[in-house]
Amino acid sequence: MPSNRKTKTSGSMKRPSWDRYFMDIAAVVATRSNCIRRHVAAIIVKDGRIISTGYNGTPRGIRNCHEGGCRRCASDAPPGTKLAECLCSHGEENAIVQAAYHGIAVKDSIIYTTFSPCLICSKMIINAGIREVVYQDRYALDDSARKILREAKVRIRTLKPD
């Protein structure tokens, strides 16, 4: 994949770095989320090409979160509580599962996610063979996730603003 630096082209036009390009696409994918509480998405990139996308929301065939499909999301539960009651799948989970559903290998790929992954998504990332996680914002409950990603030698980094 080309360098992550911004490159100048003719005139004053500036092209985004590859990291910024992929993260901006993940932000657009997040707009498809049907979760009431937070819009999160992930894209999986291999050899400089997007191979899968996913956003958070209820599983296929279940009423969407904003239609009452997830009672936890519709409740007044404080952030970080009653997570076991949430029916929504995470963006990283959906990106990995979509790739599997379509028979696409994600081994040795990079996942770009709008929030750092939770512990469950981190375990999926490790077991799927994804080699790097690039995230935009840090999820408040991710200390254990970061620890196991590092132990499994999965590179994890924050995308700094350009």
Side-chain angles (χ1 to χ4, degrees):
M1 186 163 67
S3 165
N4 284 334
R5 294 177 296 139
K6 275 193 170 185
T7 56
K8 252 190 176 178
T9 58
S10 62
S12 62
M13 184 179 129
K14 290 187 178 182
R15 297 176 69 194
S17 67
W18 284 104
D19 281 344
R20 174 55 48 206
Y21 172 74
F22 291 128
M23 191 62 73
D24 287 351
I25 292 171
V28 171
V29 172
T31 67
R32 289 287 306 153
S33 169
N34 65 59
C35 183
I36 295 169
R37 293 186 173 229
R38 186 176 300 194
H39 293 229
V40 180
I43 66 170
I44 301 175
V45 175
K46 189 170 185 176
D47 299 325
R49 302 282 180 246
I50 297 168
I51 60 172
S52 188
T53 66
Y55 52 86
N56 63 324
T58 54
R60 185 176 303 176
I62 305 296
R63 276 183 301 152
N64 287 325
C65 186
H66 69 278
E67 297 168 331
C70 180
R71 290 187 315 195
R72 188 251 176 208
C73 289
S75 76
D76 60 355
T81 65
K82 298 188 178 182
L83 297 176
E85 295 176 17
C86 185
L87 297 181
C88 293
S89 297
H90 292 186
E92 302 93 334
E93 174 185 3
N94 278 328
I96 293 167
V97 169
Q98 279 300 312
Y101 184 83
H102 294 286
I104 301 167
V106 298
K107 184 179 178 199
D108 295 325
S109 62
I110 301 171
I111 191 164
Y112 288 83
T113 181
T114 55
F115 277 84
S116 57
C118 71
L119 181 59
I120 293 170
C121 288
S122 294
K123 292 187 286 185
M124 284 188 236
I125 288 165
I126 292 165
N127 285 338
I130 294 172
R131 65 176 166 83
E132 184 173 7
V133 174
V134 181
Y135 67 91
Q136 180 81 32
D137 295 309
R138 187 157 179 197
Y139 180 57
L141 305 173
D142 74 346
D143 289 337
S144 296
R146 297 173 76 75
K147 183 179 178 182
I148 67 164
L149 287 166
R150 285 189 187 109
E151 184 176 340
K153 305 215 180 341
V154 174
R155 185 175 180 209
I156 182 167
R157 60 188 172 91
T158 308
L159 179 60
K160 307 269 191 261
D162 284 340

